[in-house]
Amino acid sequence: MKKLLFLFILTFVLYSCQEQSNIIKVTDNVSLYEALKTANAGDNIVLANGTYKDVQIKFRNKGTKEKPITLKAETPGKVFIEGQSYLKFGGEYLVVDGLYFRNGFSPSSAVVDFKISNKDTLDEIANNCKFTNSVIEDFNKPKRDNDDLWVRFWGRHNELSNCYIAGKTNRGPTVRVSIAGVESINNYHKIVNNHFGPRPVKGGPSGETIQLGDSYTSMSPSHTLVANNLFEECNGEVEVISSKTNFNEFRNNVFYKSEGSLVTRHGNYSIIDGNYFIGDGVNENYGGIRIINTGHWVTNNYFFNLKGKSFRSPLAVMNGIPKSPLNRYNQVTDVVVAYNTYVNCSSPWQFGVGQNLAQADVLPKSEIRSARAIRTTVANNIVYNEKGLEQIVVENDKADGVLFKNNVIDNQGKPFNNYNGGLTEASLELKKISDNILLPTGIPSSVEPYNGFDFNTITKDLFGNSRNNNNSVGAVVGVDVNNPNILDKSKYGASWFSNEVEAKEPTTFEVSNTEELIAKIKEAQDFDIIKLKSGTYNVQASLVINKKLNINSDDRKTTIINYTGKENTPLFELQPKGFLWIKGVTLQGNATNYAFASLKENMSNHFLLTVTDCKMDNFNYVLKVYKESFAERITFQNSTISNCKNGLELSEETNDKGDYNTEYLIISNCNFINVDKNVIDYYRGGYDESTIGGNLEVSNSTFKNCGAKEDNGILINHRGIINVTISNNTFIDNKVKLVALLWGAKNNSHSNNEIKNSGEIRVEENLKQTLMY
């Protein structure tokens, strides 16, 4: 008995020692690099808690399926990767777990890369490797035009899982699957259980959250699975996901308040099943699914409170280009849209999106999208609206290649085209499952699901219930279901991380002199308030705004900031993440300096400016926004700009790649008096039909004696801006040829403006633009 006990203890000790020997703890960059070289299958490299700066990890090794090599944090969330750092995989069965990338950027073309170099050897490219339970946050290159990727896939069977990724502002998709090369096609990558947090509007193209392939590899098979992810406020551009390869699957994802769509941009045979697209009933930029190319199946999806139209419709089926090159738009063919539910969506189905025959005189024939969808079936869907729509189906071009079958529509009694009986009117009720899931009930028993070719392969509904024995139209087969808690963030991303921030009551600082003002700007935290007492504040150097600050006073007539700083420097220097709300202040310059300006370079993140009830006098520029700077919103309201050489200048994105300097420029109830030029100069160059910004609103304002030195003779310059509204303004004695030149083919409009001795507002239907591609 004692012998057996001894053998048992010996075996246990030996086993424990063996297990213990597989742990390699490292505490700095040098020991990490050494451990990566010497690790064997089954080893666990543990990074001690702390900050690793300028660490460039080349994880080149080979584990096995049973014994992967793991690089993990001692405590997930307490190992910080900062500075100029990256992670590259090369080899097989390697796992990285629990890292936090922050306060830096990659000096390479990717932050996490499943390839070490361009050599096509097995130890340089990754297969069966995983990046998991980690965070990449605000890890932006200093310049917006310097593109990179935060996660780039190569090889086969690699995985991005349970990560939180948010805050990318520079050019380039957040995640890309690259498949150039036979070693990377048929890859079966997985992008699963992640939380893609807010990606701010980029202000131009190349701001996708996920891009699968590119134009020139778009006919290659990928088989990438994107499943069970939360996309929260992914607003980078019009495409949240851009699928550009064949045989990809998008299942059970939640798109929550994301200003864009899931787009089958290139490539064929995508499966889009069981996803949620949730809007707020107000924002017209929240989109759904946009279809291009061949053979896609769109099934069991739920669309709620989406107000997007055209490119951002819940279902947008595009026209193609006959004999399209790879990088343009192929015709939609052989697509199935079945068993989906649309609740309170402004424009549920649009066909012929992007039809542009009216622009034939300014575009080459190779750009004319005239090929309508063919051999496409729309069946067994439900559309419910609390307020009836003028059209359930919007035909930008004829939908004569679309077969509509057994769709149930509640349009509150408002008549609609039933497409040869393919749309059936019904009176439905809603059952509330959660705040964002309301399911139509009361479907007429006479409506049987249409049994199209291969419809028998749709065996489950939105909630995973079987369709075999109790099938019905719409995304679900019954409404007696539990709340799936799709917005429970604990279900997605890193287990140790939450992007929920507890609201903080702002602190108010009262200041009465310049020294106190400077000190409190430095001391204040986000959203704090600096209250200026009446008096004159003489400021000699720029006030740095690198946080979210509110500066105000009770009376602008008696509260003056007099800026005597150097030529071409701003009173308020708007740095990355600098958000400034200023109200009730008079700002005075010396005719050579600026009121507000971004940094000249290294604007790695956005800024914001709101000016209310202020007067700005005697500046060279009131606002100067430099190249590669971007603000989500700039607002001037109830304010006066007078006696300045230049007004608001946002026109340095002259590379004509579709970029611009702010998403929204709002001018309301303002007075512009004696401004020589650049009164409002807001520019976007480069034609790309899928870019649908920026936005300019000028309303209820007066312009007097402005533009005398404007070189092109136009008072309000907004060339290339897609959405422009000029309304209820007064223009008096402005020495210009034109008040504005509007782009008629886009969403440019003017109304109720009074013009005296100031030229005219001219509309030109098709402005010639430089093609971006």
Side-chain angles (χ1 to χ4, degrees):
M1 184 68 181
K2 290 182 179 180
K3 187 174 183 181
L4 288 173
L5 180 61
F6 173 77
L7 289 173
F8 174 80
I9 294 172
L10 180 62
T11 302
F12 177 81
V13 170
L14 291 173
Y15 178 78
S16 298
C17 291
Q18 182 180 8
E19 288 295 299
Q20 193 67 30
S21 68
N22 289 337
I23 296 175
I24 306 168
K25 192 167 184 179
V26 297
T27 57
D28 55 29
N29 295 5
V30 174
S31 60
L32 170 59
Y33 297 154
E34 184 61 29
L36 293 172
K37 292 178 184 177
T38 59
N40 297 308
D43 282 353
N44 290 285
I45 304 170
V46 177
L47 278 73
N49 294 342
T51 299
Y52 295 76
K53 196 166 184 179
D54 300 331
V55 55
Q56 296 170 11
I57 304 170
K58 296 181 180 180
F59 197 175
R60 181 191 284 108
N61 214 312
K62 286 186 180 181
T64 67
K65 184 176 182 179
E66 295 76 20
K67 293 184 176 182
I69 302 174
T70 300
L71 171 63
K72 63 182 181 180
E74 178 182 13
T75 304
K78 293 188 177 181
V79 172
F80 304 103
I81 309 298
E82 299 185 354
Q84 296 189 38
S85 299
Y86 59 65
L87 164 67
K88 295 178 182 289
F89 290 90
E92 298 180 345
Y93 294 103
L94 309 175
V95 178
V96 174
D97 184 339
L99 305 187
Y100 191 166
F101 286 82
R102 67 176 193 180
N103 299 333
F105 65 93
S106 171
S108 180
S109 56
V111 179
V112 176
D113 207 346
F114 288 90
K115 190 177 186 179
I116 292 179
S117 73
N118 289 325
K119 297 177 182 178
D120 294 330
T121 57
L122 289 178
D123 60 347
E124 296 294 312
I125 196 166
N127 293 287
N128 298 293
C129 294
K130 181 191 298 187
F131 181 66
T132 190
N133 195 35
S134 296
V135 170
I136 307 175
E137 188 176 33
D138 294 341
F139 213 68
N140 291 296
K141 286 184 180 294
K143 293 187 176 182
R144 183 170 73 138
D145 286 354
N146 288 355
D147 65 302
D148 70 349
L149 304 150
W150 282 7
V151 180
R152 178 167 56 188
F153 284 87
W154 300 92
R156 294 181 174 178
H157 299 285
N158 296 312
E159 180 177 309
L160 171 68
S161 60
N162 299 96
C163 289
Y164 177 80
I165 301 176
K168 194 173 195 294
T169 58
N170 64 308
R171 179 179 288 271
T174 307
V175 177
R176 175 187 286 160
V177 172
S178 297
I179 66 170
V182 67
E183 68 279 358
S184 294
I185 64 172
N186 291 311
N187 52 68
Y188 295 93
H189 297 314
K190 292 181 179 180
I191 302 172
V192 294
N193 304 319
N194 301 288
H195 181 178
F196 292 98
R199 174 163 187 172
V201 176
K202 178 187 167 291
S206 196
E208 304 95 330
T209 296
I210 296 179
Q211 183 187 78
L212 306 180
D214 59 31
S215 302
Y216 300 103
T217 59
S218 60
M219 293 299 103
S220 301
S222 181
H223 298 281
T224 294
L225 174 65
V226 180
N228 303 311
N229 302 286
L230 172 61
F231 296 87
E232 179 189 17
E233 297 180 20
C234 293
N235 302 336
E237 60 143 88
V238 70
E239 299 180 9
V240 178
I241 296 180
S242 185
S243 181
K244 297 185 174 184
T245 45
N246 292 336
F247 306 112
N248 297 314
E249 298 186 25
F250 306 92
R251 296 184 182 274
N252 309 116
N253 301 287
V254 178
F255 297 82
Y256 180 64
K257 294 185 179 180
S258 289
E259 295 187 352
S261 302
L262 191 169
V263 183
T264 60
R265 182 63 182 86
H266 301 301
N268 308 303
Y269 310 113
S270 294
I271 294 173
I272 305 174
D273 182 82
N275 303 282
Y276 298 83
F277 298 84
I278 309 297
D280 64 356
V282 178
N283 190 327
E284 295 184 0
N285 291 333
Y286 298 150
I289 297 171
R290 179 154 53 99
I291 297 295
I292 306 132
N293 280 64
T294 291
H296 310 299
W297 282 62
V298 179
T299 56
N300 294 320
N301 300 288
Y302 179 77
F303 306 82
F304 180 69
N305 263 0
L306 299 175
K307 299 305 173 184
K309 300 176 181 178
S310 188
F311 279 75
R312 285 180 164 122
S313 298
L315 175 69
V317 178
M318 290 197 66
N319 265 18
I321 296 171
K323 299 180 181 179
S324 175
L326 284 175
N327 68 331
R328 305 311 304 126
Y329 288 84
N330 281 316
Q331 185 177 23
V332 173
T333 72
D334 307 295
V335 166
V336 171
V337 179
Y339 293 112
N340 303 285
T341 295
Y342 304 79
V343 175
N344 292 333
C345 296
S346 293
S347 186
W349 299 333
Q350 288 211 14
F351 292 85
V353 172
Q355 183 270 112
N356 60 351
L357 291 172
Q359 296 174 272
D361 58 338
V362 295
L363 292 175
K365 289 183 179 180
S366 60
E367 286 298 311
I368 302 302
R369 295 184 294 280
S370 60
R372 303 192 289 267
I374 59 174
R375 301 191 304 273
T376 291
T377 300
V378 177
N380 304 339
N381 302 286
I382 296 177
V383 177
Y384 176 95
N385 287 291
E386 290 179 349
K387 295 181 180 180
L389 303 177
E390 293 296 327
Q391 295 173 289
I392 300 298
V393 179
V394 174
E395 293 182 85
N396 301 277
D397 201 347
K398 291 182 180 179
D400 51 5
V402 181
L403 176 67
F404 294 92
K405 284 288 188 180
N406 298 16
N407 300 285
V408 174
I409 313 296
D410 187 341
N411 201 39
Q412 302 302 325
K414 203 163 189 176
F416 54 85
N417 184 347
N418 71 5
Y419 290 86
N420 297 318
L423 278 62
T424 299
E425 186 176 13
S427 180
L428 307 176
E429 300 292 334
L430 292 180
K431 179 176 180 180
K432 183 176 180 180
I433 306 301
S434 71
D435 288 342
N436 295 300
I437 302 177
L438 304 178
L439 297 180
T441 67
I443 300 164
S445 59
S446 60
V447 180
E448 293 288 334
Y450 172 69
N451 189 21
F453 180 76
D454 260 358
F455 275 39
N456 61 301
T457 62
I458 310 172
T459 60
K460 303 284 187 180
D461 74 353
L462 173 66
F463 298 123
N465 298 315
S466 174
R467 289 190 177 275
N468 292 333
N469 299 318
N470 187 30
N471 200 10
S472 64
V473 300
V476 300
V477 296
V479 296
D480 294 327
V481 294
N482 295 322
N483 181 2
N485 295 311
I486 59 172
L487 295 180
D488 178 359
K489 294 182 182 179
S490 67
K491 296 167 61 175
Y492 314 94
S495 60
W496 48 269
F497 182 88
S498 172
N499 72 340
E500 298 288 344
V501 178
E502 186 174 346
K504 177 185 82 73
E505 283 295 319
T507 300
T508 299
F509 300 96
E510 290 195 356
V511 300
S512 56
N513 58 58
T514 305
E515 290 73 21
E516 289 179 352
L517 172 61
I518 294 170
K520 294 307 179 185
I521 287 177
K522 292 179 180 178
E523 179 183 339
Q525 298 181 7
D526 278 349
F527 299 107
D528 283 348
I529 300 166
I530 296 177
K531 188 83 170 180
L532 303 179
K533 294 183 178 180
S534 295
T536 299
Y537 298 76
N538 292 304
V539 176
Q540 298 178 345
S542 295
L543 301 174
V544 173
I545 305 299
N546 56 11
K547 62 193 76 170
K548 298 176 174 65
L549 279 185
N550 188 317
I551 299 175
N552 62 59
S553 81
D554 291 329
D555 185 359
R556 85 178 192 192
K557 292 182 180 179
T558 60
T559 308
I560 300 168
I561 301 179
N562 181 43
Y563 183 50
T564 58
K566 294 180 180 178
E567 179 180 6
N568 300 329
T569 65
L571 167 57
F572 291 101
E573 182 179 87
L574 300 163
Q575 295 193 359
K577 297 188 178 182
F579 285 37
L580 175 62
W581 295 266
I582 184 168
K583 180 180 180 181
V585 183
T586 292
L587 309 178
Q588 294 180 169
N590 64 8
T592 70
N593 51 28
Y594 308 161
F596 309 95
S598 64
L599 292 178
K600 290 184 179 179
E601 57 184 16
N602 295 337
M603 284 295 290
S604 62
N605 219 304
H606 295 355
F607 70 95
L608 178 144
L609 175 64
T610 298
V611 180
T612 303
D613 190 27
C614 290
K615 181 178 181 181
M616 291 138 283
D617 188 78
N618 199 33
F619 286 98
N620 183 359
Y621 283 88
V622 173
L623 172 64
K624 177 72 171 176
V625 180
Y626 290 98
K627 182 175 173 55
E628 299 186 76
S629 300
F630 187 77
E632 291 190 47
R633 187 175 292 267
I634 294 173
T635 303
F636 285 79
Q637 54 195 7
N638 306 320
S639 295
T640 296
I641 294 172
S642 60
N643 305 313
C644 294
K645 295 179 181 177
N646 298 273
L648 315 179
E649 204 266 346
L650 305 94
S651 62
E652 290 204 0
E653 297 295 352
T654 56
N655 55 10
D656 289 351
K657 292 184 178 180
D659 294 323
Y660 44 98
N661 291 120
T662 184
E663 190 65 23
Y664 292 94
L665 176 59
I666 311 297
I667 313 296
S668 175
N669 293 299
C670 289
N671 296 305
F672 291 76
I673 304 169
N674 299 328
V675 180
D676 289 343
K677 61 180 180 177
N678 294 313
V679 180
I680 298 174
D681 194 355
Y682 179 23
Y683 179 84
R684 170 188 172 270
Y687 179 73
D688 175 8
E689 72 294 325
S690 66
T691 300
I692 52 182
N695 301 268
L696 172 65
E697 296 179 19
V698 183
S699 64
N700 302 298
S701 296
T702 298
F703 298 78
K704 187 175 182 179
N705 295 325
C706 293
K709 296 183 180 180
E710 185 60 70
D711 294 336
N712 67 3
I714 302 176
L715 186 70
I716 300 175
N717 286 278
H718 51 80
R719 185 171 179 84
I721 301 302
I722 303 299
N723 304 299
V724 177
T725 301
I726 301 176
S727 62
N728 302 306
N729 303 288
T730 300
F731 301 92
I732 303 173
D733 296 331
N734 300 290
K735 295 177 182 179
V736 294
K737 296 177 182 178
L738 298 176
V739 169
L741 177 60
L742 301 184
W743 192 356
K746 297 300 181 182
N747 189 27
N748 285 202
S749 67
H750 67 102
S751 62
N752 302 320
N753 297 289
E754 182 181 356
I755 302 174
K756 295 180 179 179
N757 192 29
S758 300
E760 62 176 339
I761 296 177
R762 182 182 300 168
V763 178
E764 189 170 314
E765 187 66 17
N766 293 309
L767 294 179
K768 290 185 178 180
Q769 293 276 305
T770 303
L771 292 176
M772 289 164 46
Y773 27 79

PDB file of all heavy atoms in Angstrom, residues 328-346:
ATOM      1  N   ARG A 328     -15.180  47.923 -59.820  1.00  0.00           N
ATOM      2  CA  ARG A 328     -16.387  48.724 -59.881  1.00  0.00           C
ATOM      3  C   ARG A 328     -17.593  47.925 -59.390  1.00  0.00           C
ATOM      4  O   ARG A 328     -17.518  47.308 -58.352  1.00  0.00           O
ATOM      5  CB  ARG A 328     -16.596  49.262 -61.312  1.00  0.00           C
ATOM      6  CG  ARG A 328     -15.400  50.042 -61.861  1.00  0.00           C
ATOM      7  CD  ARG A 328     -14.824  51.121 -60.949  1.00  0.00           C
ATOM      8  NE  ARG A 328     -15.799  52.097 -60.550  1.00  0.00           N
ATOM      9  CZ  ARG A 328     -16.043  52.401 -59.279  1.00  0.00           C
ATOM     10  NH1 ARG A 328     -15.380  51.816 -58.302  1.00  0.00           N
ATOM     11  NH2 ARG A 328     -16.937  53.306 -58.981  1.00  0.00           N
ATOM     12  N   TYR A 329     -18.687  47.870 -60.160  1.00  0.00           N
ATOM     13  CA  TYR A 329     -19.929  47.268 -59.666  1.00  0.00           C
ATOM     14  C   TYR A 329     -20.448  46.216 -60.630  1.00  0.00           C
ATOM     15  O   TYR A 329     -20.877  46.534 -61.741  1.00  0.00           O
ATOM     16  CB  TYR A 329     -21.004  48.348 -59.474  1.00  0.00           C
ATOM     17  CG  TYR A 329     -20.743  49.243 -58.305  1.00  0.00           C
ATOM     18  CD1 TYR A 329     -19.906  50.349 -58.415  1.00  0.00           C
ATOM     19  CD2 TYR A 329     -21.308  48.984 -57.063  1.00  0.00           C
ATOM     20  CE1 TYR A 329     -19.651  51.168 -57.339  1.00  0.00           C
ATOM     21  CE2 TYR A 329     -21.060  49.797 -55.964  1.00  0.00           C
ATOM     22  CZ  TYR A 329     -20.227  50.893 -56.114  1.00  0.00           C
ATOM     23  OH  TYR A 329     -19.974  51.699 -55.035  1.00  0.00           O
ATOM     24  N   ASN A 330     -20.415  44.969 -60.201  1.00  0.00           N
ATOM     25  CA  ASN A 330     -21.002  43.899 -61.000  1.00  0.00           C
ATOM     26  C   ASN A 330     -22.518  43.858 -60.796  1.00  0.00           C
ATOM     27  O   ASN A 330     -23.037  44.235 -59.741  1.00  0.00           O
ATOM     28  CB  ASN A 330     -20.403  42.553 -60.617  1.00  0.00           C
ATOM     29  CG  ASN A 330     -19.040  42.329 -61.236  1.00  0.00           C
ATOM     30  OD1 ASN A 330     -18.831  42.614 -62.418  1.00  0.00           O
ATOM     31  ND2 ASN A 330     -18.091  41.836 -60.461  1.00  0.00           N
ATOM     32  N   GLN A 331     -23.197  43.340 -61.798  1.00  0.00           N
ATOM     33  CA  GLN A 331     -24.645  43.232 -61.752  1.00  0.00           C
ATOM     34  C   GLN A 331     -25.084  42.253 -60.659  1.00  0.00           C
ATOM     35  O   GLN A 331     -24.424  41.258 -60.391  1.00  0.00           O
ATOM     36  CB  GLN A 331     -25.154  42.760 -63.110  1.00  0.00           C
ATOM     37  CG  GLN A 331     -26.659  42.719 -63.257  1.00  0.00           C
ATOM     38  CD  GLN A 331     -27.072  42.296 -64.665  1.00  0.00           C
ATOM     39  OE1 GLN A 331     -26.306  41.652 -65.386  1.00  0.00           O
ATOM     40  NE2 GLN A 331     -28.272  42.667 -65.064  1.00  0.00           N
ATOM     41  N   VAL A 332     -26.204  42.561 -60.029  1.00  0.00           N
ATOM     42  CA  VAL A 332     -26.799  41.665 -59.040  1.00  0.00           C
ATOM     43  C   VAL A 332     -27.571  40.573 -59.773  1.00  0.00           C
ATOM     44  O   VAL A 332     -28.469  40.856 -60.563  1.00  0.00           O
ATOM     45  CB  VAL A 332     -27.739  42.439 -58.099  1.00  0.00           C
ATOM     46  CG1 VAL A 332     -28.489  41.478 -57.181  1.00  0.00           C
ATOM     47  CG2 VAL A 332     -26.945  43.446 -57.270  1.00  0.00           C
ATOM     48  N   THR A 333     -27.220  39.325 -59.490  1.00  0.00           N
ATOM     49  CA  THR A 333     -27.923  38.191 -60.093  1.00  0.00           C
ATOM     50  C   THR A 333     -28.073  37.077 -59.068  1.00  0.00           C
ATOM     51  O   THR A 333     -27.240  36.929 -58.166  1.00  0.00           O
ATOM     52  CB  THR A 333     -27.173  37.626 -61.322  1.00  0.00           C
ATOM     53  OG1 THR A 333     -26.001  36.926 -60.882  1.00  0.00           O
ATOM     54  CG2 THR A 333     -26.742  38.717 -62.280  1.00  0.00           C
ATOM     55  N   ASP A 334     -29.159  36.319 -59.195  1.00  0.00           N
ATOM     56  CA  ASP A 334     -29.331  35.072 -58.444  1.00  0.00           C
ATOM     57  C   ASP A 334     -29.214  35.265 -56.933  1.00  0.00           C
ATOM     58  O   ASP A 334     -28.533  34.502 -56.241  1.00  0.00           O
ATOM     59  CB  ASP A 334     -28.316  34.035 -58.940  1.00  0.00           C
ATOM     60  CG  ASP A 334     -28.381  33.853 -60.445  1.00  0.00           C
ATOM     61  OD1 ASP A 334     -29.426  33.383 -60.928  1.00  0.00           O
ATOM     62  OD2 ASP A 334     -27.411  34.227 -61.140  1.00  0.00           O
ATOM     63  N   VAL A 335     -29.902  36.268 -56.431  1.00  0.00           N
ATOM     64  CA  VAL A 335     -29.892  36.593 -55.000  1.00  0.00           C
ATOM     65  C   VAL A 335     -31.235  36.210 -54.390  1.00  0.00           C
ATOM     66  O   VAL A 335     -32.288  36.354 -55.020  1.00  0.00           O
ATOM     67  CB  VAL A 335     -29.598  38.092 -54.789  1.00  0.00           C
ATOM     68  CG1 VAL A 335     -29.913  38.530 -53.365  1.00  0.00           C
ATOM     69  CG2 VAL A 335     -28.148  38.396 -55.127  1.00  0.00           C
ATOM     70  N   VAL A 336     -31.202  35.727 -53.159  1.00  0.00           N
ATOM     71  CA  VAL A 336     -32.407  35.399 -52.408  1.00  0.00           C
ATOM     72  C   VAL A 336     -32.465  36.277 -51.160  1.00  0.00           C
ATOM     73  O   VAL A 336     -31.500  36.344 -50.387  1.00  0.00           O
ATOM     74  CB  VAL A 336     -32.434  33.909 -52.008  1.00  0.00           C
ATOM     75  CG1 VAL A 336     -33.589  33.630 -51.047  1.00  0.00           C
ATOM     76  CG2 VAL A 336     -32.552  33.030 -53.245  1.00  0.00           C
ATOM     77  N   VAL A 337     -33.598  36.953 -50.977  1.00  0.00           N
ATOM     78  CA  VAL A 337     -33.867  37.737 -49.768  1.00  0.00           C
ATOM     79  C   VAL A 337     -35.139  37.163 -49.163  1.00  0.00           C
ATOM     80  O   VAL A 337     -36.240  37.382 -49.677  1.00  0.00           O
ATOM     81  CB  VAL A 337     -34.043  39.231 -50.089  1.00  0.00           C
ATOM     82  CG1 VAL A 337     -34.338  40.017 -48.814  1.00  0.00           C
ATOM     83  CG2 VAL A 337     -32.805  39.779 -50.792  1.00  0.00           C
ATOM     84  N   ALA A 338     -35.013  36.396 -48.093  1.00  0.00           N
ATOM     85  CA  ALA A 338     -36.164  35.636 -47.597  1.00  0.00           C
ATOM     86  C   ALA A 338     -36.190  35.588 -46.071  1.00  0.00           C
ATOM     87  O   ALA A 338     -35.148  35.557 -45.413  1.00  0.00           O
ATOM     88  CB  ALA A 338     -36.126  34.212 -48.150  1.00  0.00           C
ATOM     89  N   TYR A 339     -37.402  35.558 -45.521  1.00  0.00           N
ATOM     90  CA  TYR A 339     -37.624  35.363 -44.090  1.00  0.00           C
ATOM     91  C   TYR A 339     -36.950  36.454 -43.247  1.00  0.00           C
ATOM     92  O   TYR A 339     -36.355  36.176 -42.210  1.00  0.00           O
ATOM     93  CB  TYR A 339     -37.122  33.988 -43.648  1.00  0.00           C
ATOM     94  CG  TYR A 339     -37.889  32.816 -44.217  1.00  0.00           C
ATOM     95  CD1 TYR A 339     -37.300  31.948 -45.131  1.00  0.00           C
ATOM     96  CD2 TYR A 339     -39.203  32.553 -43.831  1.00  0.00           C
ATOM     97  CE1 TYR A 339     -37.989  30.848 -45.650  1.00  0.00           C
ATOM     98  CE2 TYR A 339     -39.901  31.463 -44.345  1.00  0.00           C
ATOM     99  CZ  TYR A 339     -39.291  30.623 -45.244  1.00  0.00           C
ATOM    100  OH  TYR A 339     -39.984  29.544 -45.749  1.00  0.00           O
ATOM    101  N   ASN A 340     -37.051  37.705 -43.687  1.00  0.00           N
ATOM    102  CA  ASN A 340     -36.537  38.828 -42.910  1.00  0.00           C
ATOM    103  C   ASN A 340     -37.705  39.649 -42.368  1.00  0.00           C
ATOM    104  O   ASN A 340     -38.808  39.625 -42.919  1.00  0.00           O
ATOM    105  CB  ASN A 340     -35.645  39.710 -43.777  1.00  0.00           C
ATOM    106  CG  ASN A 340     -34.486  38.943 -44.383  1.00  0.00           C
ATOM    107  OD1 ASN A 340     -33.525  38.612 -43.703  1.00  0.00           O
ATOM    108  ND2 ASN A 340     -34.577  38.653 -45.670  1.00  0.00           N
ATOM    109  N   THR A 341     -37.466  40.382 -41.280  1.00  0.00           N
ATOM    110  CA  THR A 341     -38.487  41.227 -40.682  1.00  0.00           C
ATOM    111  C   THR A 341     -37.987  42.666 -40.591  1.00  0.00           C
ATOM    112  O   THR A 341     -36.872  42.918 -40.108  1.00  0.00           O
ATOM    113  CB  THR A 341     -38.867  40.715 -39.282  1.00  0.00           C
ATOM    114  OG1 THR A 341     -39.481  39.428 -39.411  1.00  0.00           O
ATOM    115  CG2 THR A 341     -39.834  41.657 -38.595  1.00  0.00           C
ATOM    116  N   TYR A 342     -38.833  43.601 -41.051  1.00  0.00           N
ATOM    117  CA  TYR A 342     -38.515  45.030 -41.056  1.00  0.00           C
ATOM    118  C   TYR A 342     -39.580  45.750 -40.240  1.00  0.00           C
ATOM    119  O   TYR A 342     -40.769  45.693 -40.566  1.00  0.00           O
ATOM    120  CB  TYR A 342     -38.513  45.576 -42.485  1.00  0.00           C
ATOM    121  CG  TYR A 342     -37.578  44.858 -43.427  1.00  0.00           C
ATOM    122  CD1 TYR A 342     -37.933  43.631 -43.993  1.00  0.00           C
ATOM    123  CD2 TYR A 342     -36.347  45.403 -43.770  1.00  0.00           C
ATOM    124  CE1 TYR A 342     -37.082  42.962 -44.862  1.00  0.00           C
ATOM    125  CE2 TYR A 342     -35.489  44.746 -44.642  1.00  0.00           C
ATOM    126  CZ  TYR A 342     -35.861  43.527 -45.178  1.00  0.00           C
ATOM    127  OH  TYR A 342     -35.015  42.871 -46.038  1.00  0.00           O
ATOM    128  N   VAL A 343     -39.171  46.432 -39.187  1.00  0.00           N
ATOM    129  CA  VAL A 343     -40.109  47.140 -38.309  1.00  0.00           C
ATOM    130  C   VAL A 343     -39.721  48.616 -38.247  1.00  0.00           C
ATOM    131  O   VAL A 343     -38.590  48.957 -37.874  1.00  0.00           O
ATOM    132  CB  VAL A 343     -40.129  46.527 -36.896  1.00  0.00           C
ATOM    133  CG1 VAL A 343     -41.002  47.346 -35.960  1.00  0.00           C
ATOM    134  CG2 VAL A 343     -40.611  45.075 -36.949  1.00  0.00           C
ATOM    135  N   ASN A 344     -40.648  49.467 -38.653  1.00  0.00           N
ATOM    136  CA  ASN A 344     -40.476  50.918 -38.583  1.00  0.00           C
ATOM    137  C   ASN A 344     -39.206  51.391 -39.296  1.00  0.00           C
ATOM    138  O   ASN A 344     -38.382  52.109 -38.736  1.00  0.00           O
ATOM    139  CB  ASN A 344     -40.490  51.398 -37.129  1.00  0.00           C
ATOM    140  CG  ASN A 344     -41.855  51.227 -36.495  1.00  0.00           C
ATOM    141  OD1 ASN A 344     -42.876  51.233 -37.181  1.00  0.00           O
ATOM    142  ND2 ASN A 344     -41.887  51.033 -35.185  1.00  0.00           N
ATOM    143  N   CYS A 345     -39.078  50.962 -40.527  1.00  0.00           N
ATOM    144  CA  CYS A 345     -37.967  51.387 -41.384  1.00  0.00           C
ATOM    145  C   CYS A 345     -38.520  52.310 -42.480  1.00  0.00           C
ATOM    146  O   CYS A 345     -39.548  52.012 -43.092  1.00  0.00           O
ATOM    147  CB  CYS A 345     -37.270  50.185 -42.004  1.00  0.00           C
ATOM    148  SG  CYS A 345     -36.471  49.104 -40.782  1.00  0.00           S
ATOM    149  N   SER A 346     -37.837  53.422 -42.741  1.00  0.00           N
ATOM    150  CA  SER A 346     -38.361  54.446 -43.646  1.00  0.00           C
ATOM    151  C   SER A 346     -38.368  54.019 -45.103  1.00  0.00           C
ATOM    152  O   SER A 346     -39.208  54.478 -45.877  1.00  0.00           O
ATOM    153  CB  SER A 346     -37.540  55.737 -43.507  1.00  0.00           C
ATOM    154  OG  SER A 346     -37.731  56.307 -42.244  1.00  0.00           O
TER     155      SER A 346
END
